[in-house]
Amino acid sequence: MRVRIPFLSMIGGRSPMDGLLEHYSQVEASMTIINESLLCYIGGGSSCKDFQILKQELDQLEDKADKIKRNTRNHLPRGLFMAVDKTLFLNYTRAQDNILDSAQDALDWLNIHTVKIPDALRTGGLTMVDGAIRTVELLKPALEGTLRLLHTDFADRQAVKDLYRAVRSQHNDVRKMKSMLFRELFSADMEFKDVFQLLHFFEYMHEMSHNAEGCADILRAMIAR
């Protein structure tokens, strides 16, 4: 069996790829906040203190993730030591960071003013948000599998490709959920400003899922032969 030993481990260095997982940990934490924030908003409106606290926590996570991203990008080794094409690596860091940016934008829209979400829209809305969060959650095993494949040959290459497909499939479901939800939203008996606000919130939820799919596509390119 051929075993690929990362050169950085031989000289005691740290692979810049490890920074991607460290950055993802902030993305993962933000998904919990998104879920809690929406439940708080529906339950207590924008006057809910918990919603404001959770929004601040999300902003703090985004700041921390930005620092990790900058530190990872600013301390890249020279080309000889990179396990993947540097352009792909930089594109991935940007795409993964965009997930958090979309989450932050979504909560900013939700925070503009209190919208009473009709019961008919609540189920569809919560289902779509759950779906978007699920897309982001599926990115973690895809990233971990990619790192195992790049650093050693112990990972099952086909199994890792299946992890990318799972992300794409989940995002495709979210896209359909958004389409259905938007039809319900425009049919609802609501003021235009409320429809406009919720439309942007759910659009950024969809964008969050889309960015996760984009990350999976870049990971797939990293292991292409």
Side-chain angles (χ1 to χ4, degrees):
M1 175 185 294
R2 181 170 63 90
V3 178
R4 187 188 309 159
I5 302 176
F7 185 79
L8 283 173
S9 67
M10 295 172 63
I11 60 176
R14 180 175 183 268
S15 169
M17 300 294 288
D18 294 336
L20 302 183
L21 266 181
E22 187 180 356
H23 181 272
Y24 181 86
S25 67
Q26 305 306 308
V27 175
E28 185 176 39
S30 75
M31 293 303 102
T32 302
I33 291 178
I34 284 287
N35 190 45
E36 292 180 6
S37 296
L38 186 58
L39 292 175
C40 175
Y41 185 89
I42 290 175
S46 60
S47 62
C48 172
K49 290 183 179 178
D50 288 342
F51 177 81
Q52 298 301 329
I53 292 172
L54 290 167
K55 190 175 176 306
Q56 289 173 11
E57 289 178 355
L58 182 65
D59 291 342
Q60 291 168 0
L61 281 175
E62 206 280 335
D63 287 343
K64 190 174 180 180
D66 271 347
K67 289 176 183 174
I68 295 171
K69 182 187 73 173
R70 286 195 297 271
N71 184 59
T72 302
R73 293 167 68 108
N74 293 339
H75 293 86
L76 289 179
R78 299 203 178 271
L80 177 64
F81 304 122
M82 286 294 291
V84 300
D85 180 272
K86 189 176 289 186
T87 301
L88 286 176
F89 180 86
L90 293 174
N91 288 343
Y92 183 88
T93 59
R94 182 167 53 249
Q96 188 166 271
D97 202 58
N98 285 344
I99 296 174
L100 263 174
D101 289 342
S102 297
Q104 202 173 24
D105 287 337
L107 287 199
D108 283 345
W109 271 97
L110 206 59
N111 191 47
I112 289 177
H113 89 119
T114 304
V115 176
K116 180 174 173 51
I117 302 176
D119 291 340
L121 280 174
R122 287 188 181 186
T123 301
L126 287 171
T127 300
M128 187 200 155
V129 171
D130 284 344
I133 290 174
R134 181 61 181 154
T135 311
V136 177
E137 290 174 341
L138 287 171
L139 181 61
K140 183 178 183 179
L143 175 59
E144 291 173 334
T146 304
L147 298 186
R148 282 196 299 272
L149 199 59
L150 291 172
H151 289 162
T152 71
D153 274 347
F154 291 116
D156 182 337
R157 188 180 185 81
Q158 189 56 48
V160 175
K161 289 182 180 178
D162 289 342
L163 294 173
Y164 304 148
R165 292 191 189 95
V167 176
R168 286 196 294 270
S169 176
Q170 178 62 27
H171 173 63
N172 191 43
D173 289 344
V174 170
R175 186 181 58 77
K176 293 175 182 174
M177 290 176 201
K178 187 194 84 168
S179 178
M180 186 179 301
L181 186 62
F182 275 20
R183 283 199 294 271
E184 294 174 359
L185 194 55
F186 279 99
S187 301
D189 184 17
M190 300 172 64
E191 291 188 30
F192 174 76
K193 65 178 183 180
D194 293 342
V195 172
F196 190 76
Q197 183 177 341
L198 290 180
L199 184 148
H200 278 82
F201 168 73
F202 290 120
E203 183 62 46
Y204 275 113
M205 283 287 100
H206 171 266
E207 193 65 23
M208 192 175 75
S209 174
H210 193 201
N211 285 321
E213 183 200 34
C215 286
D217 288 343
I218 297 173
L219 292 177
R220 176 66 183 86
M222 285 181 181
I223 68 165
R225 289 177 175 169

